Amino acid sequence: MRVAAITEPGRLEVLEEPVPGIGSAEVLVRVVACGVCASELDIWRGAAGHATFPWYPGHEVSGVVERVGDAVHAFVPGDPVSVWVTTRGFAEYVAVRAEYCFPAVGVPLELALGEPLACAVNAVELAGVSLGDDVVIVGAGFMGHLVHLLVELRGPRRVFVADARPDALKRAEELGAALTVDVTREAVVDVVGRETGDVGADVTFEVTGVQAALDSLGDLTRMSGTVVIAGYHQGEPRTIPLGVWNWMAFRIVNAHFREVETILRGMARGMRLLTSGSISLAGLVTHRYPLEEIGAALQALVDKPEGFVKATVMP
Amino acid sequence: MRVAAITEPGRLEVLEEPVPGIGSAEVLVRVVACGVCASELDIWRGAAGHATFPWYPGHEVSGVVERVGDAVHAFVPGDPVSVWVTTRGFAEYVAVRAEYCFPAVGVPLELALGEPLACAVNAVELAGVSLGDDVVIVGAGFMGHLVHLLVELRGPRRVFVADARPDALKRAEELGAALTVDVTREAVVDVVGRETGDVGADVTFEVTGVQAALDSLGDLTRMSGTVVIAGYHQGEPRTIPLGVWNWMAFRIVNAHFREVETILRGMARGMRLLTSGSISLAGLVTHRYPLEEIGAALQALVDKPEGFVKATVMP
Amino acid sequence: MRVAAITEPGRLEVLEEPVPGIGSAEVLVRVVACGVCASELDIWRGAAGHATFPWYPGHEVSGVVERVGDAVHAFVPGDPVSVWVTTRGFAEYVAVRAEYCFPAVGVPLELALGEPLACAVNAVELAGVSLGDDVVIVGAGFMGHLVHLLVELRGPRRVFVADARPDALKRAEELGAALTVDVTREAVVDVVGRETGDVGADVTFEVTGVQAALDSLGDLTRMSGTVVIAGYHQGEPRTIPLGVWNWMAFRIVNAHFREVETILRGMARGMRLLTSGSISLAGLVTHRYPLEEIGAALQALVDKPEGFVKATVMP
Amino acid sequence: MRVAAITEPGRLEVLEEPVPGIGSAEVLVRVVACGVCASELDIWRGAAGHATFPWYPGHEVSGVVERVGDAVHAFVPGDPVSVWVTTRGFAEYVAVRAEYCFPAVGVPLELALGEPLACAVNAVELAGVSLGDDVVIVGAGFMGHLVHLLVELRGPRRVFVADARPDALKRAEELGAALTVDVTREAVVDVVGRETGDVGADVTFEVTGVQAALDSLGDLTRMSGTVVIAGYHQGEPRTIPLGVWNWMAFRIVNAHFREVETILRGMARGMRLLTSGSISLAGLVTHRYPLEEIGAALQALVDKPEGFVKATVMP
């Protein structure tokens, strides 16, 4: 079968390998789609300290069960599933433990993005959005949209979304934003101050991964409110006005998760919402590539052409 | 002004009293509506151990600000408000601290029932409904409907509602129930078992206050799931199959709150949802009475005629 | 090897079986001690609905690593360990996954009772004892003592312990109780009322498993306080004065756990405390039996002779 | 009476003012001692943005009840109390609401420092130290010692304390540290790595308020562990290696509190521990000054002479 590997920084190859065997508690899944994640850009560029080469990227897999081990009773061949893997997802097949597969019945498989959805579910749950909260989301990329989608499900009073791209703000409106802020035209701090009587929002999500967004959080959030860092802050250390954050007594939430049980729980919840039709990712996967063009998929994530939200590779 | 009092068990009178004065931090509110609560039935019947007579019932007040103390800046005369009081609500006027008043702009005042909404908000928040949960609500009276309304805001996968009254189940469907169960026709345990693959619901709310509902919870809820006792269980001690609840390791939530800060927080959240239009109680206040007919209002709560959900007194 | 089985209700036999093999991620442990648990009495008597026969009791195992699978690097033969198993503990050997073994270095193995300690750790953590709390523990048997030992570690102001056995109360004093109550001489409600100015305790643990203790909780605990049901309530349904518990707005904690990750986490914490010398179970294992006398061990648990706290079987 | 004021940056004066009157719900307290807090240094230096002049410093008051308002029943003249005030504590008398006073019976009043104790109680509770945790405390000044004292009460496995001052480390040993690290001689990261098998601590407290301590936290704390920022980070924005903190999925706790109910709850808990003898601040108040020498008290806090921990002013 074919599988993509980063053989050295900057070099992506599609290799030929045997289809993996499965143990008695495992499932072989024929990959239908595998989303491209920003964290993979850093490895591709050689900027992720933890990566060793060859690195087999791909961890947002959905597909169809091809074969199951003797001890697996939850799935049969033909079942559509979203799969949790940490690597080797840009391939024709993946072999995984059955408990890492989640039913995706009735969901178009390129939209059954269970892994990023798990991140967003866990972020929103940990943020502790309460009934009637005012919520600000800074950043309306793919993860920002997922967070937004889920925040709307938690009974907020109003959701404000800030971004610099008009098409992103348009999608945020469609997802239910009470107000969107084009940060190239007005300061989000001014808008939130005006709308909340200078009190600030109850919960503020930073979903950009850039320094500038961190700077604004202190002025967007009410005293004793919650600041959620959901962006992926690789590279340079970040500067934080800790004196202000102290003074304001913010609850700071680092929305990143490493415990497998937590990730799986978030994924189960996200897939329940997708399969029941409570949410849909329609419109959020904007670019599709065959496996051979995985380099172009990564490049699209770098270039972010007009209208780009998320790329997926379909082997 | 006129004010209702239970002068002795079974005896309700409308008395004449002076309009209350207000302190510098207080507000005088002209009462527009005051909901009738089941807990007042017990006092009326002389069955509530904590009550002394004369008892001045009425604690679900909404109205219009008539006058404010010197130190009050949050309200001006004419402001519509929902008010937290613990007594004396069936009257023409109530005097309360300004922080016990919540703006009710744009909400029909007989539907601005902040106090029961506070109970429901706190019950749902404490229940910890998570994204994608299956939720069962046993009991579709007024409080059951409020709980249901708010559970739907928390991003569940499915809400199942059980009751014996067809009109209650019809309203539950309109509020978004995935499935309603007429308990005169089928056992809720059978339905939930069938729909969840015999796993049970993640969260089960008991909102009836009767023994029979408690009996069913153990078989409705999944292992390590949450059982919420939101019904008001006055009178006889209740029997609980604690051996089963132990074995199933349920999280048991007693959804009753006595700390003022908690009640006020719930009320603030509920009123935010009402005034922003996120929810509406339209259709849930079914019976209206002038102050002189407060006895009839209480009797309606006893009799529960077809279509009855909630009575309010409008002085 | 020899292994004890309940072949039918009331009949305990020691059978001969092959030493179990181990998989690559497993460990073979030579059992040194296995505690006898009250839950096994019910099975012995045929009173536990979930049990099927033959039932192989024994789930409080400690011992010495005999052999490890290829993939096990955390242990080597000779390591003393406390082991999580759900069955077959009254045997010469048990085979378990390596992550179910916890180091027991420096702890006498008959006192390395990780499983009941896990229950107590989880109960105390879930109870949420806060700094400066007044805590009541009703029941000073083995589990009551474990709970007590751990509550003392959480920084309470005072711990009150109630029981009917003078020797139990004497041990409670040695464990640090501020006050012990001999319930054959005075009502615990009177003592707690007197000591707390009629406010009640912040947290009350019921660790008896009997109806009478449940009756007292409502009067022992302060408004909005926490009631922890840690006793094992098999048999008849229990009666609870739910009207009072509603009115008092208690937080009710059902201190029973079924999720493996929770049990393992509690066991890891408990064993850390034992191996670091923060706590010791010295004096709590009062009766020791060879494997052939397991019947006598169970009978001791029924009879509870003077001075009895806990029996262990040492194959 | 005499009261200290910062009349302009750098200028401290003792003014003569009338003894304050009290309302019916208030208490007049004769001040016996008022601790000097680092936050007051910034105001004195003119570096605290929120302060306006004249500023009346002093918020760590203890004393004796002199007089009570009509509605006060909890206290009588002569009662020793620890008092929550936000200002005007360096004075002969303070007038406060009765619910801001906490009994200090049996505690030397210059050691009845309820307010900083409240901060430490809340920090430790929010940190969520669990039974058996390994805890690192970076910074062994007065607040570091209070945090340490309370962490020892929560049942940790081991507490490691790091500081540059030998006398501070000696006190930390006396408070129960399993290990102290003199950061002028070895890197705390090396010590914690060695002692935890390169896993890191479960909970790490930063109690210094300086940049260097923040830098070290990422390498001291285990994956998915808790980082507590308890230091007071005024002045320059701080730099945080957020990429590492993301990757490690730390729970970040900002141990600063602005809600009055939270502060009062922490103070109640701290005073319960002090008055019951569970803890003592003996040895932590090292410098005492009369009111006229308040300038010298502040200067001592700047200079931190050998053996300095905390200064108090005794009017």
Side-chain angles (χ1 to χ4, degrees):
Chain A
M1 68 168 199
R2 291 162 303 136
V3 54
I6 301 172
T7 49
E8 60 183 304
R11 184 181 184 93
L12 244 171
E13 295 184 60
V14 176
L15 311 176
E16 192 65 30
E17 289 199 359
V19 171
I22 55 171
S24 67
E26 288 186 320
V27 169
L28 183 71
V29 175
R30 179 170 53 79
V31 178
V32 171
C34 181
V36 182
C37 171
S39 70
E40 290 159 337
L41 280 187
D42 284 325
I43 301 173
W44 187 37
R45 292 156 165 170
H50 66 279
T52 52
F53 298 92
W55 182 270
Y56 291 82
H59 59 269
E60 303 183 354
V61 166
S62 54
V64 175
V65 172
E66 181 85 12
R67 205 147 48 80
V68 303
D70 294 345
V72 174
H73 304 295
F75 297 101
V76 297
D79 282 350
V81 288
S82 183
V83 177
W84 186 65
V85 292
T86 55
T87 183
R88 288 183 173 272
F90 296 120
E92 286 181 87
Y93 294 93
V94 293
V96 293
R97 290 168 59 169
E99 63 262 45
Y100 295 173
C101 295
F102 298 86
V105 179
V107 184
L109 283 172
E110 77 272 23
L111 302 182
L113 288 155
E115 196 272 345
L117 199 48
C119 296
V121 165
N122 284 327
V124 171
E125 293 272 0
L126 188 60
V129 176
S130 294
L131 288 166
D133 274 350
D134 283 342
V135 178
V136 176
I137 299 171
V138 180
F142 178 65
M143 279 307 295
H145 284 323
L146 290 192
V147 165
H148 182 188
L149 202 59
L150 297 171
V151 166
E152 293 284 356
L153 290 189
R154 298 299 279 166
R157 177 166 64 171
R158 294 175 295 183
V159 180
F160 306 127
V161 178
D163 203 293
R165 291 162 296 165
D167 62 309
L169 295 174
K170 188 153 173 299
R171 280 188 303 272
E173 271 168 37
E174 290 161 9
L175 294 174
L179 207 70
T180 59
V181 183
D182 181 338
V183 296
T184 66
R185 298 181 171 219
E186 48 185 349
V188 59
V189 169
D190 293 345
V191 175
V192 171
R194 186 183 71 221
E195 291 290 325
T196 64
D198 284 324
V199 167
D202 299 287
V203 183
T204 304
F205 287 85
E206 177 280 315
V207 205
T208 65
V210 302
Q211 175 66 50
L214 291 174
D215 295 338
S216 70
L217 302 179
D219 297 320
L220 290 173
T221 314
R222 70 162 166 83
M223 188 163 277
S224 303
T226 296
V227 164
V228 185
I229 302 170
Y232 184 66
H233 287 271
Q234 294 309 106
E236 293 296 291
R238 296 297 189 262
T239 301
I240 284 176
L242 207 46
V244 175
W245 291 25
N246 274 186
W247 178 255
M248 294 294 285
F250 292 144
R251 176 169 169 259
I252 305 171
V253 172
N254 185 22
H256 298 268
F257 308 92
R258 304 278 300 174
E259 290 175 335
V260 173
E261 70 192 64
T262 304
I263 296 168
L264 293 178
R265 190 172 51 229
M267 197 153 160
R269 295 191 177 288
M271 290 309 298
R272 276 179 160 210
L273 293 172
L274 273 186
T275 53
S276 66
S278 302
I279 57 171
S280 159
L281 306 190
L284 299 185
V285 175
T286 50
H287 289 64
R288 290 165 181 78
Y289 299 85
L291 184 52
E292 281 64 31
E293 293 177 27
I294 181 171
L298 283 161
Q299 193 59 45
L301 186 51
V302 176
D303 297 341
K304 290 200 175 131
E306 170 78 17
F308 178 88
V309 185
K310 179 77 173 183
T312 196
V313 168
M314 306 186 77
Chain B
M1 69 167 197
R2 292 163 301 137
V3 56
I6 301 171
T7 50
E8 60 183 303
R11 184 179 183 92
L12 244 172
E13 294 184 60
V14 176
L15 310 177
E16 192 65 30
E17 290 199 359
V19 171
I22 55 171
S24 66
E26 289 185 320
V27 170
L28 183 71
V29 175
R30 178 170 56 77
V31 177
V32 170
C34 182
V36 182
C37 171
S39 69
E40 290 159 336
L41 281 187
D42 284 324
I43 301 172
W44 187 38
R45 293 159 165 169
H50 66 280
T52 53
F53 298 92
W55 182 272
Y56 291 82
H59 60 267
E60 302 183 355
V61 167
S62 53
V64 175
V65 172
E66 182 85 12
R67 207 148 45 81
V68 304
D70 295 344
V72 175
H73 304 296
F75 297 101
V76 297
D79 282 350
V81 288
S82 182
V83 177
W84 186 64
V85 292
T86 56
T87 183
R88 286 182 174 274
F90 296 120
E92 286 181 87
Y93 294 94
V94 294
V96 293
R97 292 169 58 170
E99 63 261 46
Y100 295 172
C101 295
F102 297 86
V105 180
V107 184
L109 283 172
E110 78 272 22
L111 302 182
L113 288 156
E115 196 273 346
L117 199 48
C119 296
V121 165
N122 284 327
V124 172
E125 293 272 1
L126 188 60
V129 176
S130 294
L131 288 167
D133 273 350
D134 283 343
V135 179
V136 176
I137 299 172
V138 180
F142 178 65
M143 279 308 295
H145 285 322
L146 290 192
V147 164
H148 182 188
L149 204 57
L150 297 170
V151 166
E152 293 283 356
L153 290 188
R154 298 299 279 166
R157 177 166 65 171
R158 294 176 294 183
V159 180
F160 306 126
V161 177
D163 203 293
R165 291 163 295 165
D167 61 310
L169 295 174
K170 187 153 173 300
R171 281 188 302 274
E173 271 167 37
E174 288 161 10
L175 294 173
L179 206 70
T180 60
V181 183
D182 182 337
V183 296
T184 65
R185 298 180 173 223
E186 48 184 349
V188 58
V189 170
D190 293 344
V191 176
V192 172
R194 186 184 70 222
E195 291 290 324
T196 63
D198 285 324
V199 167
D202 300 287
V203 183
T204 305
F205 288 86
E206 178 279 314
V207 206
T208 65
V210 302
Q211 175 66 51
L214 291 173
D215 295 337
S216 70
L217 302 179
D219 297 321
L220 290 173
T221 314
R222 71 161 165 84
M223 188 162 279
S224 303
T226 296
V227 164
V228 185
I229 302 170
Y232 184 67
H233 287 271
Q234 294 310 107
E236 293 295 292
R238 296 297 189 262
T239 300
I240 285 175
L242 207 45
V244 174
W245 292 23
N246 274 185
W247 178 255
M248 294 295 286
F250 292 145
R251 176 168 168 259
I252 305 171
V253 172
N254 185 22
H256 298 267
F257 308 92
R258 305 276 303 173
E259 292 175 332
V260 174
E261 69 191 65
T262 304
I263 296 168
L264 293 179
R265 189 171 54 230
M267 197 154 160
R269 295 192 177 289
M271 291 308 299
R272 276 180 160 208
L273 293 172
L274 272 186
T275 54
S276 67
S278 302
I279 58 171
S280 159
L281 307 190
L284 298 186
V285 176
T286 51
H287 290 64
R288 291 165 182 76
Y289 300 85
L291 184 51
E292 281 64 30
E293 292 176 27
I294 181 171
L298 282 162
Q299 194 58 46
L301 187 50
V302 176
D303 297 341
K304 291 199 176 133
E306 169 78 16
F308 178 88
V309 185
K310 177 79 172 181
T312 195
V313 169
M314 306 187 76
Chain C
M1 67 168 200
R2 292 164 301 139
V3 56
I6 301 172
T7 49
E8 60 184 302
R11 183 181 185 92
L12 245 172
E13 294 184 61
V14 177
L15 311 176
E16 192 66 29
E17 290 199 359
V19 171
I22 54 171
S24 66
E26 289 186 320
V27 169
L28 183 71
V29 175
R30 177 171 55 79
V31 178
V32 170
C34 181
V36 182
C37 170
S39 69
E40 289 159 337
L41 281 187
D42 284 325
I43 301 173
W44 188 36
R45 292 157 164 169
H50 66 280
T52 52
F53 298 93
W55 182 270
Y56 291 83
H59 59 268
E60 303 182 356
V61 167
S62 52
V64 175
V65 172
E66 182 86 11
R67 206 147 47 80
V68 304
D70 294 344
V72 175
H73 304 294
F75 297 101
V76 296
D79 282 352
V81 288
S82 183
V83 176
W84 186 66
V85 292
T86 55
T87 183
R88 290 184 172 271
F90 296 121
E92 287 180 87
Y93 294 94
V94 293
V96 293
R97 291 168 61 171
E99 63 263 45
Y100 294 174
C101 295
F102 298 87
V105 180
V107 184
L109 282 173
E110 79 272 21
L111 302 182
L113 287 156
E115 196 275 344
L117 198 48
C119 295
V121 164
N122 284 328
V124 171
E125 294 273 0
L126 189 60
V129 176
S130 293
L131 287 166
D133 273 350
D134 283 342
V135 178
V136 176
I137 299 171
V138 181
F142 178 65
M143 278 309 295
H145 285 323
L146 290 192
V147 164
H148 181 188
L149 202 60
L150 297 171
V151 166
E152 294 283 356
L153 291 188
R154 297 299 279 166
R157 177 167 66 171
R158 293 176 296 183
V159 180
F160 306 128
V161 177
D163 202 295
R165 290 163 296 164
D167 62 309
L169 295 174
K170 187 153 173 299
R171 281 188 303 273
E173 271 167 37
E174 289 161 9
L175 293 174
L179 206 71
T180 60
V181 184
D182 181 337
V183 297
T184 65
R185 298 179 173 223
E186 48 184 351
V188 59
V189 169
D190 293 345
V191 175
V192 171
R194 187 183 71 221
E195 291 290 324
T196 64
D198 285 324
V199 167
D202 300 287
V203 183
T204 304
F205 287 86
E206 179 279 316
V207 205
T208 65
V210 302
Q211 175 65 51
L214 291 174
D215 295 337
S216 70
L217 302 179
D219 298 320
L220 291 172
T221 314
R222 72 162 165 83
M223 188 162 277
S224 304
T226 297
V227 164
V228 185
I229 302 170
Y232 183 67
H233 288 272
Q234 294 310 106
E236 293 296 291
R238 296 296 189 262
T239 300
I240 284 176
L242 206 47
V244 175
W245 292 23
N246 274 185
W247 178 254
M248 295 294 286
F250 293 144
R251 177 170 167 259
I252 305 171
V253 172
N254 185 23
H256 298 267
F257 308 92
R258 306 277 302 174
E259 291 175 335
V260 173
E261 67 192 65
T262 304
I263 295 169
L264 294 178
R265 190 171 54 230
M267 197 153 161
R269 295 192 177 288
M271 291 309 299
R272 276 178 160 210
L273 293 172
L274 272 186
T275 53
S276 66
S278 303
I279 58 170
S280 159
L281 306 190
L284 298 185
V285 175
T286 51
H287 290 63
R288 291 165 182 77
Y289 299 86
L291 184 51
E292 281 64 29
E293 293 177 27
I294 181 171
L298 282 162
Q299 193 58 46
L301 186 52
V302 176
D303 297 341
K304 290 200 177 134
E306 169 79 16
F308 178 88
V309 185
K310 178 77 173 184
T312 195
V313 168
M314 305 186 77
Chain D
M1 69 166 199
R2 292 163 301 137
V3 55
I6 301 171
T7 49
E8 59 182 303
R11 184 180 183 94
L12 244 171
E13 293 184 61
V14 176
L15 310 176
E16 192 65 30
E17 289 200 359
V19 171
I22 54 171
S24 66
E26 288 185 322
V27 170
L28 183 70
V29 175
R30 177 170 55 78
V31 178
V32 170
C34 182
V36 182
C37 170
S39 69
E40 290 160 336
L41 281 187
D42 284 325
I43 301 172
W44 186 37
R45 292 158 165 169
H50 66 280
T52 53
F53 299 94
W55 182 270
Y56 292 83
H59 59 269
E60 303 183 355
V61 166
S62 53
V64 175
V65 172
E66 182 85 13
R67 206 148 47 80
V68 304
D70 295 344
V72 175
H73 305 295
F75 297 101
V76 296
D79 282 350
V81 288
S82 183
V83 177
W84 186 66
V85 292
T86 55
T87 182
R88 288 182 172 272
F90 296 121
E92 286 180 87
Y93 294 94
V94 293
V96 293
R97 292 168 59 169
E99 64 262 43
Y100 295 173
C101 295
F102 297 87
V105 180
V107 184
L109 282 172
E110 79 271 22
L111 303 183
L113 288 156
E115 196 273 345
L117 198 49
C119 296
V121 164
N122 284 328
V124 171
E125 293 272 0
L126 189 60
V129 176
S130 294
L131 287 167
D133 273 350
D134 283 342
V135 178
V136 175
I137 299 172
V138 180
F142 178 65
M143 279 307 296
H145 285 323
L146 290 192
V147 164
H148 182 187
L149 204 58
L150 297 170
V151 166
E152 293 283 357
L153 291 188
R154 298 299 278 166
R157 177 166 66 172
R158 294 176 295 183
V159 180
F160 306 126
V161 177
D163 203 295
R165 291 163 296 165
D167 62 310
L169 295 174
K170 189 155 171 299
R171 280 188 302 274
E173 271 167 37
E174 289 161 10
L175 293 174
L179 206 70
T180 60
V181 183
D182 181 337
V183 296
T184 65
R185 297 180 173 223
E186 47 184 350
V188 59
V189 169
D190 293 345
V191 175
V192 171
R194 187 184 70 220
E195 291 289 325
T196 64
D198 284 324
V199 167
D202 300 287
V203 184
T204 304
F205 287 87
E206 178 279 316
V207 207
T208 65
V210 302
Q211 176 65 52
L214 291 174
D215 294 338
S216 69
L217 302 179
D219 297 321
L220 290 173
T221 313
R222 70 163 164 83
M223 188 163 278
S224 303
T226 297
V227 164
V228 185
I229 301 171
Y232 184 67
H233 288 271
Q234 294 310 105
E236 294 295 291
R238 296 295 189 263
T239 300
I240 285 176
L242 207 48
V244 174
W245 292 24
N246 274 185
W247 178 254
M248 293 295 285
F250 292 144
R251 176 168 168 259
I252 305 170
V253 172
N254 185 23
H256 298 267
F257 309 92
R258 304 277 301 175
E259 292 175 334
V260 174
E261 68 193 64
T262 304
I263 296 168
L264 293 178
R265 190 172 51 228
M267 197 154 162
R269 294 190 177 288
M271 291 309 298
R272 276 178 161 211
L273 293 172
L274 272 185
T275 54
S276 66
S278 302
I279 58 171
S280 159
L281 306 190
L284 298 185
V285 175
T286 50
H287 290 64
R288 292 165 180 77
Y289 299 85
L291 185 51
E292 281 65 28
E293 292 178 27
I294 182 172
L298 282 162
Q299 193 59 46
L301 187 49
V302 176
D303 297 342
K304 291 202 175 132
E306 169 79 16
F308 178 88
V309 184
K310 179 78 173 183
T312 195
V313 168
M314 305 185 76

